[in-house]
Amino acid sequence: MAGRKNVRNYSPVQLATASIVCLLTAALCLGHPPSVRADEGTYKLGLVTFLSGAAAGPFGVPARNAAELIIEAINAGTLPSPYDSKGLAGMTIESTIIDEAGGGTKQVGEFRNLVQRRNVDAVIGYISSGDCLAIAPVAEELRALTIFFDCGTPRIFEDNDYKYVFRTGPTSTMDNVAAARYILELKPNLKSVSGMNQNYAWGFDSWNDFKWAMGVLKPDVDIKTEQFPKLGAGQYGSEISAVMVSRAEVIHSSFWGGDMEGLVLQGAARGLFDNSQGIFTCGETAMFRLSDQIPEGTIIGGRGPFGVFAPASPLNDWFRKSYMDRFGTPPTYPSYKMAQAILGLKAAVDKAAAAKNGKPNKEEIAAALKGLEFQAPSGVVRMSLGKGHQAVQEMVYGQFTKKNGKPEIYNVRRYPAECVNPPDGVKSEDWIKNSLKQTSCN
Amino acid sequence: METLLAILIDGLVYASWLFIVAAGLTLVYGVMKILNMAHGSLYAIGAYSAASLVGWYFGSGHPPWGSFALFIGGAVIAGMVTGLIIERGVLRRMYGRDEVVMILVTYGVLLILEDVTKLLWGVDAYFAYQPYGMIGRVRFSDLTFAGYDLTLIAVAGLVGFALWYALNRTRQGKLLRAVIHDREISLAMGINVTRIFIVTFIIGSALGALAGGLTAPALSVAPGIGIEIIILAFAVVVIGGLGSVGGAAIGALLVGICRALAVHTYPQFELFIIYGVMAAVLAVRPQGLFVIARARKI
Amino acid sequence: MGSDRTPIFLCAALLLLLVVGLFIPNWLVFLFTISMAKGLVVLGLILLMRTGLVSFGQGLYYCLGGYIVGISGQHWGITDVALVFLLVVLAATLLSSILGLLLCRYREIFFAMLTMAFSMILYGILVKSEKLGSTDGFIIAQATLFGWQPEVEASGTWIFALAVIITLVALLVMHLYFRSPMGFGGEAIRENEIRVEYLGVSPRRLIYIKYVVAAVLAAFGGAITAVAAGHVDPEMAFWATSGEFVFIALLGGTLHVAAPLVGAFLIEIIRTIALDLAPYTWQMILGGSLLLIIFFLPKGLWSLLPKRREEEGL
């Protein structure tokens, strides 16, 4: 170590500190400067949705498209009533979009960025339930108005109370409870089911809800096999064989996006659905894209009254037509849910502004959104669970057919929200196990 | 009995697919000592090329059987071109670096290619399902298999045989094996190692893309399909012994059969099976099943 | 050692950071905290890398640390940071001293793949644990310190302070370790293991100890991340997370103990900016900068600095 003194020797740490400072400045300059809200006439909206990875195609990009369409229409004031006023209480929406990729910790950091550096007035986003769970407490800490539009887990508002966090889409509980009800109406003498769900929280939750509901509604139904292939596995040959060997009458699957489409392709090619009735809780996104491959009579759901399941209304007609004209495909459920979240925000801001006769602050908007009932392309949305922070809607299932040459749904059954969702304050699991049987749908 | 048959066939089908993916990876590692993470992107590029070609072909109403030659050829060519670009554009400048650094280099390439495929093909899924149904179904009592999947077993066998023949029975293959064995001596003996590297990487890339192209008809080809494959292929290659094509075949069979066994008997273990097999094999044979002997250098 | 001014500069730099932390916006504090947490993991990783071993499974201990914090808060009601961190150290030491027995026999790519396999096995177990929220993970109870519960709004700052102190201690200890005979032993093993054996030193023992130390550092990183982000999920043990640590290590270089910190911070900044500027092509920017760094700075950022004779001699 003696030789060190005569070497040119300024400390690396000094330089490192210097470079950190430089980088920091660079970061701040390159990014948007932390300006004070310059313009009182704009409302800054942060949008977070998957722009890369497997969820981008089926969910992230359709949601972004819907956001683009709705925001432009709101700013121009061209939406049908009751949203025909310009902007959010007159404020023009200015949106920023970021990619949801990277997992919970990364998203927490990006969320702080959006709120504190980009100074957004509200954040709408999050498809992954894990991200929603991670973001909710941070949103509360930062007092940032946040609306989840797609994630499904009921745990968010069942385990915690929030003031600034909302979800305008229904939870995944009703998908599977309604699936069990529908299948039992279709096959009252059902003997056996098998499950094929993805190996992660969404798959487990969906299958458990379905299994529990089945266990309560028709206890003698036999569960033949429960398969959980890896998320994004692509190849389902072995699982399809296992389900075939099990010879169950019904196959339940909560696969979504590319995995679901792969399963449909591989299952159809092997005749999996010739002897078994398939039920796909997220099948709606594939309805038009894979219309040649989905077997006749397959039961498909769209996570609520979205897409083809949406009831006719001037708002829905406008939405379907404008979306179709602009993007060339009919809107699927992620588009509906995004549209619904933005419209929910608009309804709340307009309501708060009307009550105050001026620009509302985020507390006033949150108070207005709490327990609100508003119109969306999918019909009426009621924020009635989670102390007014969680939406409920009716749930719809139907069977797929292409007999008339174009993909259609028949045998449609609509379940009112009360018969497929727990009442406020009761956890989904407890509700299914204890009081689902007594809950009537008529 | 039926289950046993199902395990065997499912295992074989899965193993064939794994082998085609892993063969290119292990070949590249053997010759160049690069564990190529971008192999996943090549898989994706192969799948995308095949899917767009099939879409175009059936869209313009040509005789259906011709699609096979087109999409398989298209995938292989796409893989070769991409491979050439990667090798000449990036890897060439990085030779001689540490093996781990090379993994990171290919990871960088993977990230770039992920976005390139997104820019070229968008995020919407592509389908190429027409060829999948064309070979029909095969019935064994209550089980039905897609003829296409069974054909894949033969294709994997063919790929394996072609590789074995090329490596062991041709002059080029012998040169290649010399480089695998000792790069420096080969160089000293006058073998054009640069050329061997280019050829190897192109073949490896073409195999990755071929795997993607062959799988495309059974998939919804969308962003992210190449990511899951990488780790799977890594595991197979490590189990078999890095750089050994025969090892990759045995590794693929082992993983394929074990996985099918798990799915049919204890589906909850499916997630662990690959890592379990890998840990078990490495615990017994620290360098994989087939390993090229190396002298201890003092 | 008299001329070694690094510890002084480390103290000065981190204390400066601590002061700066009081004045900068919350989102930047969070970024710093996460960078330090990841920096700690990478510090352990470069300890192994100086020995010629690359672990692609540091996510195992990163995740373990995070989950210990989460579980002790949520299920055992222990929120005191001091106690929780003690548990984290114990758990990491225990697990790594068992796995280390096996792993210290492996070298090169096999070490990398086997560490990754263990990390993925933990990932698999957590995915299957529905009580722990499977892939959704769960929210972590608010941390306390010796019975004191800071305000929710201030939590970012005091967690940051905590991270600075832990990082400082870790850096000083590791700096001394790198300069001890055992520390240099690592480089000797990398250069020629057999000669080390001839000198009467057991390379396996050395590697074993280094592996355990690296595990503890990674667990600390995971624990800090968990406390700061307020949420844990199995993604922490996924191979891509471990891969990112290797990425950071190469970016910073292995020449100096502070390199991982700078590397981690740089990655976070690059990624944040890339996500900001190009939400559709940020991966390309990330991949491109990775290639440029490897190409132009083969020894990491540290190779920007003037070379020292002692390091060149190694």
Side-chain angles (χ1 to χ4, degrees):
Chain A
M1 245 140 266
R4 282 194 59 213
K5 273 192 184 155
N6 46 24
V7 181
R8 192 157 58 106
N9 183 15
Y10 32 97
S11 158
V13 180
Q14 264 177 328
L15 288 181
T17 329
S19 55
I20 285 183
V21 174
C22 296
L23 279 167
L24 221 129
T25 343
L28 286 169
C29 299
L30 273 173
H32 299 238
S35 58
V36 234
R37 261 236 299 299
D39 193 355
E40 273 298 310
T42 63
Y43 191 89
K44 284 195 193 166
L45 187 58
L47 297 171
V48 188
T49 159
F50 280 104
L51 300 176
S52 61
F59 301 151
V61 171
R64 182 210 58 191
N65 291 346
E68 249 177 57
L69 183 73
I70 292 283
I71 289 173
E72 271 177 33
I74 289 179
N75 286 342
T78 54
L79 277 173
S81 129
Y83 298 108
D84 44 6
S85 63
K86 243 185 179 184
L88 298 181
M91 293 178 281
T92 313
I93 303 176
E94 205 176 81
S95 66
T96 319
I97 190 159
I98 61 167
D99 191 352
E100 196 184 326
T105 310
K106 183 68 203 143
Q107 284 308 316
V108 167
E110 289 308 319
F111 181 83
R112 286 176 188 275
N113 257 323
L114 269 180
V115 173
Q116 296 179 317
R117 189 158 63 88
R118 311 287 289 266
N119 278 315
V120 296
D121 295 290
V123 177
I124 292 182
Y126 304 105
I127 291 168
S128 144
S129 292
D131 290 340
C132 284
L133 282 170
I135 295 296
V138 183
E140 203 66 8
E141 180 198 321
L142 303 180
R143 302 201 174 118
L145 186 61
T146 304
I147 301 177
F148 298 142
F149 82 101
D150 189 42
C151 55
T153 180
R155 282 171 58 202
I156 299 171
F157 297 102
E158 284 180 359
D159 295 351
N160 289 289
D161 288 338
Y162 298 107
K163 188 176 168 204
Y164 295 92
V165 183
F166 294 88
R167 177 162 53 189
T168 51
T171 69
S172 62
T173 308
M174 71 176 202
D175 300 2
N176 300 291
V177 171
R181 286 195 187 276
Y182 188 90
I183 204 89
L184 286 174
E185 282 168 24
L186 196 70
K187 291 176 180 278
N189 297 318
L190 184 70
K191 295 276 183 313
S192 56
V193 293
S194 284
M196 173 104 88
N197 294 281
Q198 286 146 319
N199 203 338
Y200 81 118
W202 167 261
F204 300 146
D205 291 351
S206 296
W207 174 244
N208 283 338
D209 287 350
F210 180 77
K211 197 167 67 172
W212 292 330
M214 224 14 138
V216 171
L217 296 172
K218 198 166 191 322
D220 57 343
V221 169
D222 199 15
I223 308 283
K224 290 284 191 183
T225 179
E226 316 176 277
Q227 291 294 331
F228 292 102
K230 214 164 60 202
L231 182 61
Q235 300 271 350
Y236 305 105
S238 313
E239 285 85 358
I240 290 174
S241 297
V243 172
M244 267 185 173
V245 171
S246 79
R247 293 191 195 83
E249 286 172 61
V250 165
I251 301 161
H252 167 273
S253 177
S254 63
F255 272 38
W256 51 258
D259 287 11
M260 183 255 302
E261 292 163 352
L263 178 62
V264 168
L265 285 177
Q266 292 166 31
R270 292 179 58 181
L272 175 65
F273 306 108
D274 294 356
N275 303 314
S276 305
Q277 171 72 52
I279 175 160
F280 289 88
T281 62
C282 308
E284 192 259 340
T285 55
M287 200 179 131
F288 296 98
R289 306 181 347 160
L290 272 184
S291 58
D292 291 337
Q293 299 295 307
I294 302 179
E296 277 293 313
T298 300
I299 302 169
I300 63 178
R303 306 217 42 224
F306 308 119
V308 287
F309 298 113
S313 71
L315 189 57
N316 186 30
D317 297 343
W318 174 87
F319 184 60
R320 284 193 89 77
K321 186 175 180 310
S322 323
Y323 193 99
M324 189 75 199
D325 289 348
R326 179 146 170 188
F327 303 107
T329 65
T332 50
Y333 76 75
S335 312
Y336 271 82
K337 291 179 98 174
M338 176 56 97
Q340 175 160 326
I342 298 173
L343 291 177
L345 180 67
K346 174 161 168 62
V349 176
D350 288 351
K351 182 182 163 195
K356 189 188 176 192
N357 221 349
K359 304 263 183 275
N361 62 23
K362 57 191 172 189
E363 280 76 19
E364 287 157 348
I365 300 174
L369 187 51
K370 188 171 171 170
L372 187 70
E373 205 175 295
F374 64 93
Q375 288 293 327
S378 61
V380 181
V381 183
R382 278 176 293 136
M383 304 291 294
S384 63
L385 293 188
K387 301 204 170 86
H389 289 247
Q390 164 67 52
V392 287
Q393 283 182 282
E394 57 173 1
M395 181 64 210
V396 196
Y397 273 100
Q399 286 179 285
F400 176 87
T401 181
K402 216 191 164 185
K403 286 215 174 84
N404 302 331
K406 62 181 192 337
E408 281 171 343
I409 296 291
Y410 68 101
N411 219 352
V412 174
R413 176 80 167 91
R414 313 187 88 85
Y415 297 90
E418 295 70 34
C419 90
V420 286
N421 283 293
D424 195 14
V426 181
K427 290 197 177 193
S428 298
E429 181 178 349
D430 301 336
W431 175 72
I432 296 175
K433 286 181 172 166
N434 301 326
S435 37
L436 175 64
K437 199 156 177 72
Q438 293 87 306
T439 315
S440 153
C441 278
N442 301 308
Chain B
M1 188 53 217
E2 199 178 30
T3 310
L4 212 62
L5 184 76
I7 291 173
L8 192 69
I9 296 180
D10 289 336
L12 270 176
V13 170
Y14 196 76
S16 321
W17 173 69
L18 272 181
F19 172 71
I20 304 176
V21 186
L25 194 67
T26 201
L27 186 71
V28 167
Y29 182 85
V31 176
M32 305 165 79
K33 299 288 173 284
I34 295 173
L35 204 45
N36 182 18
M37 289 198 80
H39 206 66
S41 305
L42 289 157
Y43 175 90
I45 287 172
Y48 268 114
S49 315
S52 355
L53 284 172
V54 167
W56 167 79
Y57 190 84
F58 281 89
S60 44
H62 296 290
W65 286 96
S67 66
F68 282 92
L70 181 76
F71 83 80
I72 293 173
V76 168
I77 291 170
M80 290 169 84
V81 172
T82 320
L84 183 69
I85 296 172
I86 298 174
E87 204 277 343
R88 286 290 92 184
V90 182
L91 297 184
R92 178 168 66 103
R93 298 160 208 280
M94 308 280 189
Y95 288 143
R97 298 282 178 83
D98 198 59
E99 272 180 39
V100 178
V101 177
M102 292 311 286
I103 298 181
L104 264 278
V105 169
T106 56
Y107 180 61
V109 175
L110 167 89
L111 286 175
I112 294 175
L113 287 181
E114 271 297 299
D115 275 352
V116 169
T117 46
K118 205 164 75 176
L119 288 176
L120 286 178
W121 280 283
V123 293
D124 271 335
Y126 281 72
F127 297 104
Y129 48 75
Q130 292 88 343
Y132 195 58
M134 273 164 57
I135 306 186
R137 295 176 189 172
V138 181
R139 275 187 84 85
F140 299 99
S141 67
D142 264 4
L143 273 167
T144 318
F145 290 95
Y148 188 92
D149 289 339
L150 300 180
T151 318
L152 214 58
I153 302 177
V155 174
L158 212 64
V159 168
F161 176 76
L163 276 177
W164 172 84
Y165 186 85
L167 280 174
N168 293 290
R169 291 285 183 275
T170 65
R171 197 186 120 78
Q172 287 298 325
K174 283 179 181 156
L175 295 179
L176 215 77
R177 280 194 300 146
V179 177
I180 293 179
H181 214 77
D182 196 319
R183 185 190 305 181
E184 282 172 24
I185 299 284
S186 312
L187 204 57
M189 299 298 280
I191 296 175
N192 185 346
V193 173
T194 317
R195 208 177 63 96
I196 298 261
F197 272 20
I198 300 176
V199 172
T200 310
F201 198 79
I202 289 177
I203 295 174
S205 305
L207 282 170
L210 173 69
L214 285 173
T215 331
L219 294 180
S220 135
V221 182
I225 60 163
I227 306 283
E228 279 298 319
I229 309 304
I230 309 165
I231 291 299
L232 219 54
F234 272 18
V236 168
V237 166
V238 168
I239 289 170
L242 280 154
S244 158
V245 176
I250 302 290
L253 269 177
L254 201 61
V255 170
I257 299 284
C258 286
R259 185 176 171 279
L261 198 66
V263 166
H264 283 276
T265 51
Y266 296 99
Q268 56 271 40
F269 290 135
E270 192 266 331
L271 193 62
F272 306 94
I273 205 77
I274 286 152
Y275 304 102
V277 171
M278 181 161 95
V281 168
L282 288 186
V284 183
R285 294 206 38 117
Q287 307 214 306
L289 293 172
F290 292 84
V291 59
I292 299 152
R294 253 193 300 180
R296 269 161 70 108
K297 286 178 186 161
I298 298 179
Chain C
M1 284 289 174
S3 63
D4 179 15
R5 284 184 297 163
T6 305
I8 300 162
F9 281 115
L10 281 178
C11 292
L14 283 169
L15 288 176
L16 182 73
L17 189 62
L18 197 59
V19 177
V20 168
L22 295 174
F23 299 101
I24 52 178
N26 193 313
W27 65 269
L28 198 56
V29 171
F30 182 76
L31 202 75
F32 272 126
T33 313
I34 294 293
S35 310
M36 279 187 282
K38 289 189 173 166
L40 280 177
V41 186
V42 178
L43 184 61
L45 190 59
I46 67 169
L47 176 67
L48 290 169
M49 281 168 89
R50 285 163 79 109
T51 315
L53 294 171
V54 180
S55 164
F56 264 93
Q58 287 311 91
L60 173 65
Y61 300 103
Y62 183 66
C63 183
L64 183 77
Y67 267 76
I68 296 277
V69 171
I71 293 170
S72 45
Q74 211 68 302
H75 297 272
W76 305 332
I78 309 171
T79 52
D80 193 287
V81 171
L83 202 59
V84 169
F85 276 51
L86 191 69
L87 283 176
V88 167
V89 173
L90 283 177
T93 315
L94 191 71
L95 184 61
S96 62
S97 52
I98 297 168
L99 293 184
L101 289 176
L102 180 71
L103 283 167
C104 67
R105 293 162 48 208
Y106 294 82
R107 301 292 178 271
E108 298 168 12
I109 202 83
F110 301 97
F111 181 82
M113 292 309 282
L114 204 55
T115 49
M116 189 193 81
F118 285 128
S119 162
M120 286 304 288
I121 286 171
L122 177 68
Y123 174 78
I125 293 172
L126 291 176
V127 166
K128 284 285 178 194
S129 310
E130 289 176 55
K131 282 267 178 298
L132 297 176
S134 180
T135 43
D136 284 349
F138 57 95
I139 298 169
I140 287 173
Q142 248 249 295
T144 56
L145 186 60
F146 302 125
W148 167 64
Q149 169 120 36
E151 304 247 327
V152 180
E153 284 73 30
S155 63
T157 313
W158 83 269
I159 292 165
F160 168 73
L162 187 78
V164 170
I165 293 164
I166 293 176
T167 310
L168 182 61
V169 173
L171 285 181
L172 290 175
V173 171
M174 291 312 287
H175 181 71
L176 292 179
Y177 180 82
F178 280 168
R179 296 170 147 261
S180 73
M182 239 175 124
F184 283 119
E187 271 119 329
I189 294 173
R190 184 182 66 193
E191 293 307 314
N192 195 320
E193 188 174 333
I194 292 160
R195 287 189 197 172
V196 175
E197 265 177 52
Y198 286 172
L199 290 172
V201 180
S202 161
R204 281 194 187 174
R205 217 181 116 240
L206 265 179
I207 289 170
Y208 182 74
I209 293 168
K210 284 169 196 283
Y211 181 74
V212 174
V213 174
V216 171
L217 285 171
F220 264 124
I224 293 173
T225 306
V227 175
H231 179 261
V232 284
D233 59 40
E235 197 72 25
M236 294 172 88
F238 196 61
W239 63 268
T241 311
S242 306
E244 193 192 324
F245 295 136
V246 180
F247 183 178
I248 297 171
L250 289 176
L251 185 71
T254 58
L255 295 180
H256 195 277
V257 280
L261 279 189
V262 183
F265 181 70
L266 195 69
I267 289 288
E268 292 293 316
I269 284 286
I270 293 180
R271 200 159 53 169
T272 301
I273 293 175
L275 266 174
D276 228 35
L277 293 183
Y280 300 95
T281 48
W282 61 274
Q283 297 187 84
M284 199 187 265
I285 298 180
L286 202 62
S289 32
L290 176 60
L291 289 185
L292 290 178
I293 288 165
I294 296 175
F295 186 63
F296 290 108
L297 305 173
K299 292 208 159 194
L301 288 178
W302 235 250
S303 49
L304 282 176
L305 304 178
K307 286 211 173 60
R308 298 181 183 195
R309 200 170 293 166
E310 59 162 330
E311 278 154 358
E312 273 177 308
L314 284 172

